[in-house]
Structures are given as structure tokens and as C-alpha cells.
Amino acid sequence: MTMPISKKILFYFLLSISALVVFAPALLAFVMSFMDNKDIMTGSLPQSLSFDNYIKAFEQFPLLKYLLNSFIVAIAITIGQLILSSLAAYAFVFLEFKGRDLLFFLFIATMMVPFEASIIPNFHIIRDLGWIDQYPGLTVPFFATAFGTFLLRQNFKQIPKELREASQIAGMGDFKFYLKVVLPVAKTSLVTLGAYGFLTSWNMYLWPLLSTTNDTVRTVQIGLKQLQTQEQLNDWGVIMSGAIIVIIPTMILLFLGQKQLQKGLTEGAIK
Amino acid sequence: MGYIELMDISKSYNKQSDVLNGIDLQIEKGEFFVLVGPSGSGKSTLLRMIAGLEDISGGTLKINGNIVNHLPPKDRNLSMVFQNYALYPHLTVEQNILFGLNAKKIDKATQKKRLLETAEMMGLSDLLKRKPRELSGGQRQRVALARAVVSDAPLCLMDEPLSNLDAKLRANMRIEIRRLQKKLGLTMIYVTHDQVEAMTMGDRIMVLNDGIIQQVGEPIALYNKPSNLFVATFIGSPKMNLGKAKLKESNLVIEDVFTIPFNHEQILAKFQNRQLVVGIRAEHIPHGAEKDGVQTVEIVNVEQLGNETLISFEVGSKLWTAKWLGQWLVGVGDRVPVQISVENMCFFDEDTGNLIQAATSSLKREVVAI
């Protein structure tokens, strides 16, 4: 697309402004994490920059423990989601049974039920199972995902039916076909769903707060909150440095997966 | 007893109207059998039923003497080539070819041997490490064929395998598939909507329309003696010229335009009091010499093919085509004499569409050919 240079300048100017506005809180946090408390409270420009806040964050709180917990939880949820939703999507695409489409629409309809609405029954279940303060309690409720099944079903539907038929003639069963053909062919979407699942569960707040009562399995998001309330006067520098540490894995994943993520989410949208 | 026997096979979806009805058929071992028909005629469904990909609603299917109605595809010992080739996009050519053998747990040494043989035969030796998307249409087609060949199954089913190729490549592949089939002694069932493919490749052809068998026979028999109007118009290009006709005294009147003297006493009786449709092939309407049955017509279209010239003219409401050998410099609007003779005509019953009398000249030609 070509446009006059004056228009271009205007556009870029507006874009830069809005980018700055959107990015300001993150930028502020980044700068604050290197400042000492006095400067932050008086709202003056930093006199000196140091890593003290980071060192403090690791010393005062079991941040590593939280990070580890978050990793375990996020990875478990990601893997669980990938396995369950790909199997469900396979059934919705390749297996023929009565009422399949109806069942699928019911399944999709659950996407409209907000998570908050199911939080109490979910809590009752994990409490009765004795899963409070345990990894299964944090992860298992998120394994089944209507969105993931939907995404993968759309993708699997693009696999020509003849591939299944050819493999039937070759004498290959459903499970083997799923493993050897469907999963490799739908790799992009699996990566997309994986990244999406990881990010969502990494950023989870409400559920880990409810289902944990002590530090053993607590995730990093709850840990951050604790940084804030431990003392009367908030030590903002430390909180911000903690926040910066927490977003690092997210950033890495986004940078690595950006292309794949975009490709996967828009795949099938235009064709 | 044939190698494949279909006895009163029918297919219906949701127990409603039949897609296929009363299919009785025998296919011999080593035969190249072509199923041809317009789209929606049920030919692919029939093939998929033989393959076991589609349930059989009624009737019995036997392969090699055994009833296989309820056998899954893998136990029917057959291979299949699909229209879109159905190559696994994430596997290399080599892995694609060996896919079936792996599933059947054949040992590695045998696999290797068969792979090399097949790749050699199909001219794929240099492409084994490539992915399907790096291949041209013709090469993909070859891989799909190789996959069928390597399985060593005695029966091969093909579902419009050439329809994604361009015309030139298609002509090549026709010959190649035919040679391959003869060389390996495969029994082949080949589905196509292209009557040229059917004519050129098949040992025998079955014409299917609306789920009902129209005619089964050798290509030439179908061409010369089409058993009804559908087969007459479906087989052959340009299609057979048709016109309504009746007998008036000893003249045959076609579309109220042509009046041709008719003096074939022996078949006259068959035609009395019947509404007729006459059919005549384009190549049987030559430029008129001074003989019986010369008519003068006005040309409405000319197609120059180089070695022959197609001339279209109106007969009543119908458009007829004549095929003249060589190059004729005639133009639209010219009036030319054409010869339309009774011995080249096929006669059909107008109500049923069935053949009453095939062209008498074709009977003579068959004798000459032998």
C-alpha cells in the first residue's frame, strides 16, 4: 500500500503514542524495579540504578519455589490439555457415531459458561478429593478445554478424509492413525494451543489462590500478591522486580512462538 | 465364476432412496474394469463399497470366492488410489510408499527390496527423500501408484486418479497405468467420469447412471451397440446425433426435416406404430455424394481440428455434428450436402429409450475387424 509521506508520519506518530500509552505500566514497572524505595515514594527521577531489589526479592521470599510451582502447574495443564483436547477433537472429526454433531455443539456451548460460575462446584470436588494444596487440585480442573477441542477440531477437519481411508486400507487402527498421521500433520495447531494453554495457566490467579493454603504448591502469581501485603509499607521496588521476573518466561515463549501462534490462530480463517 | 462378484448390491443412506440399485456384476481376474458415469451416478460409492470404506446396504459381495460384506478394508487384500492421491504430507516419498508395509509389520529387508523395485519401476528413485509438496502433480500421482504397487495386493481400486492432471500428462499416465496393470497382472477397478479414459483403458466398461447399470461390455460394443439413449450419448465424442423419427409409407422422416427412403423389409415390422429416435455417429455423416439420402444443410458452426473438421448444423430443434476427415474450408452459413444413410443409424424406442436396432453397418465392420 502506498500513502503520502505526510500521512505516513501522522500514522506513525499516532501509533507511537498509543504504543507508549499501552506499554507505560510495564515500562514504569521495569524502571521502578531498579530504583530504591525513597525515589519511588517521592516520585522523583531515579538517582541511581541497582539490582538490589532483585536480590531482595529472591532473599525475602521463596520466589524460586513459586516459579518452580508455576512451571510444574503450567506444564502439567498444557500437556493435559493437549492430550485431552486432541483426543476429543479426533473423535469429533474421524469417528462417526450418532448425535456426534449435537454432542459437539453441547461441548462448545460450555465455552459460554464463565469459569467463575463453575469455581464453587470445582472447589467442592477438589476439596472432597483431598486435593487442596496439591498439584492435581491446581491442574486437573483445567485439562478439559472446549476452546482447545474446538481449535483442534477445525484443524483436523482440514485433513483430507482420504488419508484416513488410505490408512484403513493399509490396515491401520484409529489410535495409530492419530499418533502417526493426525498429530504430525496438525503440529502447528498443537504448538499454538500449547503456547496458549501455557500462558493462560501461568497467569492464573483466582484458582491457585482458592486451592492453596500454604507455600508448598503456591504459584508465582500468588507469591507476587504476598510481596505486596507482607509489610505495612509496600516495598514497591521489590514487587516490581518480582513482576519483571515473572513475565520473563511469558516473554520468551511469546518471542519464540509468535510466528507459530499467529499462523495457528488464523489458520483456516482465510483459505 | 469371477474373481469379484457383486450380487444384487444396493446402497441407501438413512434407509431412504437408493443410491445404487440391483448391481449384478462379475469381474474376472486380471481384468481392467472401468466404471464410468456422470457425477452423482454412484460409481465412486460402488468402488468404496468394494473397498470396504462404505457399508453395503443389501446384496452380497464376493472377492475370490469369499463373502466379504463385513470384512474391514485391510482384510480384503486390495490397494486403492485416490483422486487427491491421499499422500501423507509430513512423510517423505519413501515413508509414504512404505507406510502400508509398516502397518502390516513386514520385515525391514523385504520392505527395502520392494521399495527399490517399485521406485525403479515408477521412476521415483531420485525422489525418495522428498516431501509430497515438493513434487509435481504427475510425480505425486506416481507415488500414489507406487504405494498401491508395493502392497502386492492382487486387486487395485482407482477412484478418478487422473482428474487432477493436465490433458497431456493424463494421456501419458493412461498408457502407463495400463502397462503397469498388464505387467503385474493386477485386477483393476477404475472409476472415471471421462468416457475417453473408459474407452481407451478398459477391457470392459460398465456405464452407470442414477445408480442403475446401463450397459456392461467391451468398449467397441458400447460404442457400436449402445443399449439405450443414455449410453449412446455418453460414450463417444462428439456425442451421437439423435433425432425423433417416424415411418411414413416407405420413408423415414427425421425431426420433420429429413425424409429418407427406407426399404429394409426385414426390420420394418419392428418399427410399425412406434415412436422412434434415430442416432447416428458424427463420422457417419460424410460429405454428400450423389447417392440416396443426400440432404442439404446450413452450417452453424465449424471446428477445425487439423486432421478433421467438425461441422454443426440444425436438424429441427437438435444440433447435429458431422465429422469430416481432412481440412474443409467451409464457413458458417454455407449450405453443404451431407449423406445420411439408414445403415449407419441406430434405432431407439422413444418411450423406453432402449435400443431396437443397432446400425447394420457396424455389424459388417465387426466382421471385417476379425
Side-chain angles (χ1 to χ4, degrees), chain B residues 56-250:
Chain B
I56 296 171
S57 309
T60 314
L61 171 67
K62 281 188 186 176
I63 296 179
N64 212 2
N66 304 313
I67 295 175
V68 298
N69 278 33
H70 297 290
L71 275 189
K74 67 181 164 79
D75 297 329
R76 297 189 183 194
N77 201 10
L78 48 80
S79 59
M80 186 158 174
V81 178
F82 294 87
Q83 180 175 1
N84 63 3
Y85 318 138
L87 301 180
Y88 302 106
H90 60 295
L91 300 178
T92 61
V93 169
E94 178 178 337
Q95 289 165 324
N96 259 296
I97 294 174
L98 291 177
F99 193 80
L101 300 188
N102 269 328
K104 287 197 174 113
K105 301 201 171 59
I106 286 166
D107 71 89
K108 286 272 182 278
T110 321
Q111 279 190 19
K112 187 92 194 154
K113 194 171 134 265
R114 283 211 228 161
L115 169 75
L116 292 179
E117 278 173 14
T118 312
E120 178 78 13
M121 193 188 327
M122 304 301 300
L124 290 169
S125 303
D126 300 334
L127 305 172
L128 288 178
K129 297 293 172 215
R130 295 229 200 139
K131 291 273 174 72
R133 64 165 179 277
E134 297 159 343
L135 302 178
S136 68
Q139 289 167 336
R140 284 182 205 177
Q141 175 65 62
R142 256 175 247 266
V143 178
L145 281 177
R147 204 165 59 177
V149 168
V150 85
S151 76
D152 246 0
L155 171 62
C156 182
L157 309 178
M158 293 199 174
D159 190 359
E160 310 210 8
L162 302 184
S163 51
N164 287 352
L165 301 178
D166 63 65
K168 206 168 179 180
L169 204 52
R170 204 181 297 174
N172 280 338
M173 287 308 287
R174 279 211 299 260
I175 298 168
E176 234 169 275
I177 292 178
R178 184 88 178 122
R179 281 180 59 190
L180 195 70
Q181 181 260 344
K182 285 279 168 269
K183 190 164 150 194
L184 301 174
L186 292 171
T187 307
M188 182 87 84
I189 305 180
Y190 187 102
V191 162
T192 179
H193 62 263
D194 182 355
Q195 56 90 22
V196 178
E197 264 172 41
M199 291 287 288
T200 50
M201 295 172 85
D203 291 325
R204 274 198 308 152
I205 300 177
M206 173 170 121
V207 183
L208 204 62
N209 188 32
D210 280 338
I212 294 165
I213 297 181
Q214 303 295 319
Q215 192 172 2
V216 182
E218 287 168 18
I220 288 301
L222 260 63
Y223 189 81
N224 289 338
K225 275 187 261 174
S227 68
N228 56 34
L229 285 171
F230 179 81
V231 179
T233 48
F234 193 78
I235 300 286
S237 172
K239 68 185 179 102
M240 186 183 260
N241 301 305
L242 297 177
K244 285 181 192 169
K246 26 181 194 287
L247 275 177
K248 266 188 192 161
E249 282 130 37
S250 62

Side-chain angles (χ1 to χ4, degrees), chain A residues 218-232:
Chain A
R218 203 159 265 174
T219 61
V220 78
Q221 306 293 350
I222 316 295
L224 267 188
K225 175 70 184 156
Q226 282 188 329
L227 286 181
Q228 217 179 77
T229 48
Q230 289 243 322
E231 286 168 64
Q232 287 259 300

